[in-house]
């Protein structure tokens, strides 16, 4: 992958990686660190990573770092922050806000798997390659995570 | 096969788009058989997350890299050499004498006939040589005796037999031979001191038939020792060239390409 292809990856994937890291870590600063370190690693390994594998490589790095950052934050009992959309007012959407809240109740691995599936559209097999899990483990983890989300939004106090 | 124990997993896979045609058909058949469970399919769609497009990374510029090995090709890269070529062309056009004619030197001396310049001077020359009293002696070409005479006067450094004489008239083209024959060079005779040759145009008639001028070279009185030194130097150079030519002729050059060897003999 040459410099031009790398710069194309930056322009096309930086937002998606940040969004994923932001949802995983629940913290804007940690998410920025994840993005910067992810692209730094991609730049260092640009000779080994072809352009069509750059997205999977980035999300693999972002997954590992997001999970680690979330665990570090959990050990320090840091409060998670609501994502800042740059001052723009989000349209009130009870279900969406409830899902954001529900997402934060998941563990780091479950959260990352849900985001990889719903945000980026990876298949079970691809998620398994990114996270080091087999397909059965991915399906089981997602199943349990989705059941938790259903239970969370099923409570009226969480939606209203 | 879809059962009551695993139908929820199939509903999740349906919401994630992971069912193939056969599995989808099996799930459809199961739900047709259990219509009370069909309403649960929407519950799995409700917990599908949608990315928030408003959340964006604001520091994309800090991640971009420059290709240090590439040379940025800017428009002025074409303009500079084009302007230089245009200036050079204009310079050549405006100075045609530099295009095809080479001016080696220009003389600032007044253009006087050569005969006037060569008239005997009333005062003796600064070198102290005697002025020419007698008219120039016509000289003719004597190629072989001159070399033999010089060989007698100079010590033999190389005992090898002398190379085959080179007759200038024979080795030159017809035009060169004609020009050389018109020089009429004759070695010195007598005990008179000699000076360097002075060119004097002489109108020839008869030998060439064209009436054109040729140079009649004569040796004026000058320092004999200086002339002999010049001759010795020339002889040394000739001997060096002869030895070099002999060395080249006797040298065998071997060029090897892998397992092949090429011998070149001159």
């Amino acid at each position: 992958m040459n410099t031009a292809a790398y710069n194309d990856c930056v322009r096309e994937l930086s937002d998606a990686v940040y969004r994923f890291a932001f949802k995983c870590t629940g913290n804007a600063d940690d998410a920025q660190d994840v993005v910067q370190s992810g692209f730094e690693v991609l730049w260092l390994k640009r000779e080994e990573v072809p352009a069509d594998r750059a997205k999977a490589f980035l999300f693999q790095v972002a997954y590992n770092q997001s999970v680690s950052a979330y665990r570090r934050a959990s050990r320090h009992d840091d409060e998670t922050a609501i994502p800042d959309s740059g001052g723009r007012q989000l349209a009130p959407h009870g279900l969406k806000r409830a899902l954001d809240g529900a997402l934060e109740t998941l563990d780091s691995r479950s959260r990352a798997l849900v985001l990889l599936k719903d945000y980026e559209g990876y298949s079970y097999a691809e998620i398994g390659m990114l996270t080091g899990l087999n397909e059965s483990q991915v399906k089981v983890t997602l199943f349990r995570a989705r059941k938790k989300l259903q239970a969370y939004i099923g409570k009226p106090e969480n939606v209203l | 096969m879809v059962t009551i124990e695993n139908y929820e997993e199939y509903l999740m896979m349906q919401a994630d788009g992971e069912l193939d045609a056969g599995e989808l058909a099996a799930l459809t058949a199961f739900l047709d058989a259990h219509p009370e469970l069909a309403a649960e399919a929407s519950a799995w769609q409700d917990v599908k997350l949608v990315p928030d497009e408003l959340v964006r990374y604001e520091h994309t510029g800090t991640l971009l890299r420059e290709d240090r090995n590439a040379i940025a090709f800017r428009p002025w890269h074409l303009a500079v050499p084009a302007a230089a070529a245009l200036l050079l062309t204009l310079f050549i056009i405006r100075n045609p004498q530099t295009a095809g004619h080479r001016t080696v030197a220009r003389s600032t001396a007044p253009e006087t006939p050569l005969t006037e310049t060569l008239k005997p001077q009333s005062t003796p020359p600064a070198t102290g040589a005697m002025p020419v009293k007698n008219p120039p002696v016509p000289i003719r070409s004597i190629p072989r005796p001159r070399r033999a005479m010089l060989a007698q006067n100079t010590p033999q450094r190389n005992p090898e037999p002398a190379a085959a004489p080179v007759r200038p008239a024979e080795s030159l083209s017809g035009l060169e031979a004609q020009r050389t024959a018109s020089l009429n060079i004759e070695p010195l005779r007598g005990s008179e001191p000699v000076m360097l040759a002075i060119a004097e145009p002489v109108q020839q008639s008869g030998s060439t038939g064209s009436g054109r001028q040729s140079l009649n070279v004569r040796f004026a009185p000058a320092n004999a020792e200086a002339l002999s030194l010049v001759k010795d130097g020339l002889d040394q150079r000739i001997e060096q060239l002869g030895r070099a030519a002999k060395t080249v002729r006797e040298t065998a050059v071997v060029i090897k390409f892998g397992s092949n060897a090429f011998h070149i003999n001159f």
Side-chain angles (χ1 to χ4, degrees):
Chain A
M1 177 168 49
N2 56 17
T3 303
Y6 168 83
N7 289 334
D8 290 340
C9 289
V10 170
R11 298 185 190 96
E12 295 171 3
L13 301 174
S14 60
D15 290 340
V17 175
Y18 178 73
R19 223 172 280 132
F20 170 79
F22 195 39
K23 287 294 187 180
C24 278
T25 61
N27 183 284
D29 292 335
D30 290 341
Q32 290 181 7
D33 292 341
V34 169
V35 172
Q36 291 173 0
S37 59
F39 279 98
E40 180 68 25
V41 175
L42 178 63
W43 173 252
L44 293 175
K45 294 185 178 296
R46 63 191 183 279
E47 300 292 337
E48 308 165 18
V49 180
D52 57 349
R53 292 289 304 164
K55 181 181 178 182
F57 180 85
L58 279 170
F59 275 95
Q60 185 175 11
V61 174
Y63 166 79
N64 293 327
Q65 296 191 357
S66 296
V67 170
S68 301
Y70 180 80
R71 289 172 179 171
R72 284 196 305 270
S74 299
R75 281 198 294 270
H76 289 90
D77 295 327
D78 290 336
E79 294 184 1
T80 57
I82 300 298
D84 184 7
S85 58
R88 292 183 290 268
Q89 293 294 330
L90 295 175
H93 193 287
L95 181 58
K96 185 179 183 303
R97 189 167 62 248
L99 282 174
D100 289 338
L103 192 65
E104 296 174 4
T105 64
L106 300 177
D107 60 275
S108 57
R109 176 186 287 183
S110 300
R111 187 188 306 184
L113 265 59
V114 169
L115 291 171
L116 287 174
K117 183 61 187 171
D118 293 345
Y119 273 25
E120 301 304 325
Y122 284 115
S123 66
Y124 295 156
E126 291 171 338
I127 294 174
M129 286 190 297
L130 292 176
T131 59
L133 304 171
N134 59 42
E135 192 171 338
S136 297
Q137 289 176 313
V138 172
K139 280 198 287 188
V140 170
T141 304
L142 283 174
F143 182 83
R144 292 174 181 172
R146 299 266 171 77
K147 289 294 278 186
K148 284 187 178 179
L149 295 178
Q150 289 178 359
Y152 186 90
I153 63 172
K155 298 177 180 179
E157 61 272 22
N158 291 334
V159 179
L160 298 176
Chain B
M1 183 170 177
V2 183
T3 64
I4 196 67
E5 286 80 15
N6 62 11
Y7 78 97
E8 287 186 308
E9 181 180 342
Y10 276 86
L11 288 176
M12 181 191 74
M13 293 171 64
Q14 181 191 24
D16 289 337
E18 294 280 346
L19 292 178
D20 56 23
E23 292 170 334
L24 187 60
L27 177 63
T28 303
F30 176 85
L31 293 176
D32 289 341
H34 302 84
E36 71 281 6
L37 301 177
E40 294 184 21
S42 62
W44 294 96
Q45 290 287 347
D46 291 340
V47 293
K48 291 282 290 182
L49 299 178
V50 177
D52 188 357
E53 299 294 335
L54 296 179
V55 177
R56 308 196 65 177
Y57 187 65
E58 301 293 338
H59 308 287
T60 303
T62 62
L63 302 176
L64 297 174
R65 302 279 182 165
E66 291 183 357
D67 191 356
R68 297 180 185 276
N69 293 328
I71 299 174
F73 193 77
R74 297 183 175 85
W76 61 266
H77 284 183
L78 284 177
V80 170
L86 180 62
L87 288 175
L88 182 62
T89 304
L90 290 175
F91 176 76
I92 293 174
I93 292 173
R94 296 188 61 181
N95 298 277
Q97 62 273 19
T98 63
H101 307 277
R102 292 187 179 182
T103 303
V104 178
R106 286 199 176 95
S107 174
T108 58
E111 295 184 358
T112 56
L114 193 57
T115 53
E116 295 294 328
T117 307
L118 297 178
K119 279 184 177 178
Q121 300 176 6
S122 58
T123 58
T127 58
M130 297 297 292
V132 178
K133 295 180 180 178
N134 300 324
V137 177
I139 53 181
R140 59 183 184 277
S141 169
I142 308 179
R144 196 60 219 144
R146 181 181 61 179
R147 187 175 177 84
M149 179 184 302
L150 294 175
Q152 293 174 3
N153 294 333
T154 58
Q156 292 293 332
R157 296 186 181 84
N158 191 354
E160 298 174 355
V166 177
R167 295 178 181 274
E170 296 177 355
S171 62
L172 298 174
S173 63
L175 183 61
E176 288 293 324
Q178 187 177 14
R179 185 178 65 83
T180 305
S182 67
L183 292 178
N184 295 326
I185 300 174
E186 186 182 26
L188 298 174
R189 297 197 184 275
S191 61
E192 292 181 354
V194 191
M195 196 164 66
L196 293 178
I198 298 175
E200 182 179 20
V202 174
Q203 189 72 23
Q204 279 191 347
S205 60
S207 61
T208 58
S210 61
R212 63 185 176 90
Q213 287 188 345
S214 64
L215 290 179
N216 203 6
V217 182
R218 62 183 177 88
F219 290 93
N223 192 345
E225 293 182 359
L227 187 59
S228 66
L229 288 175
V230 171
K231 290 180 180 178
D232 291 344
L234 290 175
D235 290 338
Q236 292 178 10
R237 292 289 180 270
I238 292 171
E239 288 179 4
Q240 289 175 358
L241 288 174
R243 286 197 294 272
K246 184 176 184 299
T247 302
V248 171
R249 284 194 299 270
E250 295 176 354
T251 300
V253 179
V254 178
I255 300 174
K256 291 186 178 181
F257 287 100
S259 61
N260 298 322
F262 301 88
H263 297 265
I264 301 175
N265 295 322
F266 293 96

